[in-house]
Amino acid sequence: MQIPALAIDGPAGSGKSTVAQAAAARLRFTYIDTGAMYRALAWKALRLKIDLTDEAALTALTQKTTWQFVDNGATLMLDGENVSAAIRAPEVTNRTKFAARAAGVRAHLVALQRQMAAERPAVMEGRDITTVVLPAARWRIFLTAAPEVRARRRQEDWARRGFGGVGGDYDEILRDILARDESDFSIGPLKDALDLAQAGKIILLDTSAMSPAAVIDRVIAIVE
Ligand code: DC
């Protein structure tokens, strides 16, 4: 049975968050950023000085943690504390892969995410949504763009926020994007999603030559 949800997967910098958030607002669906949930666990582990390579400790930590999205998904409350800004810090971004690699953590978060999607129609974005979390979602999209385009967009985004001088170097950003691709695709589900998209089983949307507004319109058209 299909469930009324829009599942979006794709690599870092593909514009998933912007597109998913805008689509959720227009469709009046709940927006769920699953990457934020992995980031938040890594942030908590760092704060508690838990060894991030200790899978059992990370898995145990999930049992003592609560995740709650508010403000239409724009804000994540971890154990009741707003962590939305803290989880975007570079040291958290760089270490989130440890939380994402731990099988016990993934099992726990996948169950929570399914529960969230069962409560209300959702736009859910991540790396394993189309394949593992909501394979029965009514709409499934793999959103991507060339690494060079993703790096350029990230650089422009940093400049807009006034961070131009800090980490604003294009070559460095591109290297970082390629390193994250290697880590993300090695986890499995994201590679499976790409395979499904290339086989025409889910929608492949390459946004390399599209404006954000055009991508959002296209996604809305797919759902409507
Ligand atoms: O989308 P993001 O950059 O905020 O995701 C942070 C990290 O979490 C990223 O390295 C991949 C991982 N992740 C995952 O493994 N599974 C998801 N469903 C979402 C994110």
Side-chain angles (χ1 to χ4, degrees):
M1 203 187 71
Q2 288 192 327
I3 64 159
L6 168 59
I8 304 179
D9 284 326
S14 58
K16 284 190 312 288
S17 299
T18 308
V19 170
Q21 210 164 353
R26 274 175 54 182
L27 294 164
R28 297 184 196 284
F29 283 14
T30 305
Y31 166 62
I32 300 165
D33 171 4
T34 62
M37 298 172 77
Y38 290 93
R39 285 172 178 270
L41 188 74
W43 171 84
K44 182 173 176 180
L46 282 168
R47 188 162 73 165
L48 295 176
K49 300 199 183 344
I50 289 171
D51 175 4
L52 281 150
T53 63
D54 184 344
E55 275 203 40
L58 283 183
T59 302
L61 191 64
T62 64
Q63 314 293 331
K64 293 177 275 179
T65 302
T66 61
W67 289 258
Q68 194 199 3
F69 286 103
V70 295
D71 299 338
N72 297 324
T75 301
L76 175 59
M77 309 294 290
L78 193 81
D79 302 325
E81 182 179 347
N82 182 348
V83 295
S84 309
I87 61 173
R88 304 287 155 195
E91 66 268 27
V92 178
T93 300
N94 293 337
R95 290 186 171 104
T96 298
K97 59 176 180 262
F98 294 105
R101 273 181 202 156
V105 171
R106 295 202 78 83
H108 188 87
L109 290 188
V110 166
L112 278 180
Q113 290 154 7
R114 285 185 182 146
Q115 220 173 311
M116 290 173 177
E119 283 163 14
R120 272 194 57 196
V123 177
M124 190 177 284
E125 54 127 325
R127 304 293 193 290
D128 59 347
I129 314 305
T130 61
T131 54
V132 178
V133 181
L134 305 174
R138 190 168 299 155
W139 308 280
R140 292 188 294 167
I141 298 175
F142 189 90
L143 202 68
T144 190
E148 294 75 15
V149 174
R150 291 187 273 132
R152 188 67 68 200
R153 283 181 189 158
R154 178 142 300 177
Q155 190 185 30
E156 284 165 5
D157 188 44
W158 277 71
R160 244 195 319 273
R161 294 182 204 207
F163 297 151
V166 191
D169 178 63
Y170 172 79
D171 292 333
E172 202 176 303
I173 296 173
L174 181 59
R175 266 198 304 278
D176 181 60
I177 293 249
L178 292 172
R180 287 190 64 198
D181 278 0
E182 198 174 312
S183 165
D184 290 353
F185 279 103
S186 73
I187 289 173
L190 191 61
K191 175 75 177 67
D192 295 342
L194 177 61
D195 290 346
L196 283 177
Q198 285 172 338
K201 302 221 166 73
I202 67 178
I203 295 167
L204 178 64
L205 199 52
D206 186 331
T207 69
S208 298
M210 293 170 81
S211 69
V215 180
I216 294 160
D217 286 346
R218 182 71 217 290
V219 168
I220 299 290
I222 288 166
V223 173
E224 289 178 344

